[in-house]
Amino acid sequence: MTLRTWATPLITATFVVTAVSGVMLFFHMRSSLITFSHIWLGLAMLAAVVAHLWLNWRPFLMYLKRPIPAAIMASGLVIVALSFMPLNGAQGAGEEGHGPGASMRQVMSAMGNARVETLAELSGKTPEAVIAALEA
């Protein structure tokens, strides 16, 4: 079996699974199979894309000589580079500022350190009612 017989079909199949699972993850429709499929088939897609580029290297280089395709590819590289930068003072990878639920953890942490008056304003209750609820 040659590289040409499986590279493009594998890209197509893995793209479909990765796209559908990515949309499902975006809408918080998580399950272990969806997450597993998205991650591992995304890596399979990467291998297929590398194989596809290997087969089509000369036509790919021709794209870089045209302004619109070159700009699209360059913007993709810029987005990848920016994705490594922390936003809003978040910590490094693997720390509290990243990963699923990081935003909720930050909100809960901020609420845990907030003044009772602030919590009362946010909840639409009186400070006394917030204190009573917290004591309960």
Side-chain angles (χ1 to χ4, degrees):
M1 182 185 304
T2 66
L3 194 59
R4 194 167 300 280
T5 55
W6 64 263
T8 302
L10 184 60
I11 289 172
T12 304
T14 55
F15 169 77
V16 169
V17 175
T18 306
V20 170
S21 61
V23 169
M24 293 174 78
L25 290 170
F26 179 79
F27 289 108
H28 306 286
M29 299 167 68
R30 287 180 163 77
S31 77
S32 57
L33 184 59
I34 291 170
T35 304
F36 177 85
S37 299
H38 188 76
I39 292 170
W40 287 102
L41 291 177
L43 290 173
M45 184 169 63
L46 176 63
V49 167
V50 168
H52 186 75
L53 276 174
W54 178 267
L55 289 170
N56 298 291
W57 187 247
R58 292 175 99 160
F60 175 73
L61 290 178
M62 295 302 291
Y63 276 114
L64 296 177
K65 294 180 180 180
R66 296 174 24 207
I68 292 176
I72 291 170
M73 289 183 227
S75 64
L77 291 175
V78 169
I79 290 169
V80 167
L82 290 174
S83 71
F84 288 98
M85 297 176 62
L87 298 176
N88 300 328
Q91 289 84 24
E95 294 181 24
E96 188 176 320
H98 286 64
S103 297
M104 185 56 72
R105 283 192 300 271
Q106 290 170 344
V107 168
M108 296 307 288
S109 176
M111 289 178 65
N113 295 325
R115 296 182 2 236
V116 172
E117 292 79 14
T118 304
L119 295 174
E121 286 180 40
L122 289 171
S123 65
K125 298 180 179 180
T126 65
E128 294 77 21
V130 170
I131 291 171
L134 290 170
E135 287 175 348

